[in-house]
Amino acid sequence: MLVRDAMSTVVLTIGPQHTLRQAAALMAARRVGAAVVHDPDAGGIGILTERDILNSVGLGQDPDAERAHDHTTTDVVFAAPAWTLEEAARAMAHGGFRHLIVLDRGEITGVVSVRDIIRCWAPARQHVHVPA
C-alpha cells in the first residue's frame, strides 16, 4: 500500500501569526493532529503539531500570545505519494515524529500520520481482544 492510499487529502493550513489557541481550535474542529504552516518569509512550509502546542502550554506559555511560527518545525521531512507505507513509517520512526507532509511535484497534496498507517495495516473494524 502507498502513502497516496492512506494520506488525508484535506490539509489544514494556517499562517505563522495564528496563535496557538487559534491553531488548536482549528485542529480540534477538523479532528487533526497537525497543521501545515505556510510562511513564505521564513522558508516556506513547516508543521505545527499537537505535541508542539502541548509543550508550549506545559511550559506555562500563554496560548493566546504564542504564535505558530515560534513553535513550528521547519526542518520537515516530506513524503511522496508513491512511497510505500513502510517507507513512511521508517521515516517517522527515524525522525521521531508522527506526521509527514506529502508533496507531489512541489505541491502539498496531503498529510499522512501514524494513525493513517495503522488504519491501513489493521484489519478493518475487526473486534480485537486485548488481554488485560
Side-chain angles (χ1 to χ4, degrees):
M1 190 166 275
L2 302 178
V3 165
R4 75 170 50 94
D5 303 318
M7 71 184 192
S8 172
T9 57
V10 178
V11 178
L12 174 60
T13 302
I14 64 172
Q17 292 303 316
H18 275 82
T19 67
L20 293 187
R21 184 175 309 278
Q22 290 169 326
L26 291 167
M27 290 164 64
R30 296 258 182 109
R31 300 181 53 96
V32 296
V36 172
V37 180
H38 186 259
D39 188 355
D41 295 332
I45 301 170
I47 191 165
L48 179 74
T49 67
E50 57 203 356
R51 184 181 301 166
D52 297 324
I53 295 169
L54 182 66
N55 287 339
S56 175
V57 171
L59 291 171
Q61 296 174 333
D62 181 358
D64 291 314
E66 293 296 313
R67 302 293 173 183
H69 76 274
D70 292 324
H71 300 276
T72 298
T73 300
T74 55
D75 185 20
V76 179
V77 175
F78 297 100
W83 278 16
T84 65
L85 294 186
E86 289 82 4
E87 289 172 302
R90 193 170 24 257
M92 290 176 183
H94 182 263
F97 40 80
R98 298 176 293 174
H99 301 86
L100 292 170
I101 299 171
V102 183
L103 289 184
D104 190 9
R105 296 181 201 122
E107 297 293 321
I108 298 171
T109 58
V111 174
V112 66
S113 70
V114 170
R115 180 179 293 166
D116 296 327
I117 293 171
I118 290 170
R119 181 179 38 80
C120 290
W121 284 347
R125 301 238 178 228
Q126 194 174 45
H127 177 73
V128 178
H129 174 71
V130 179

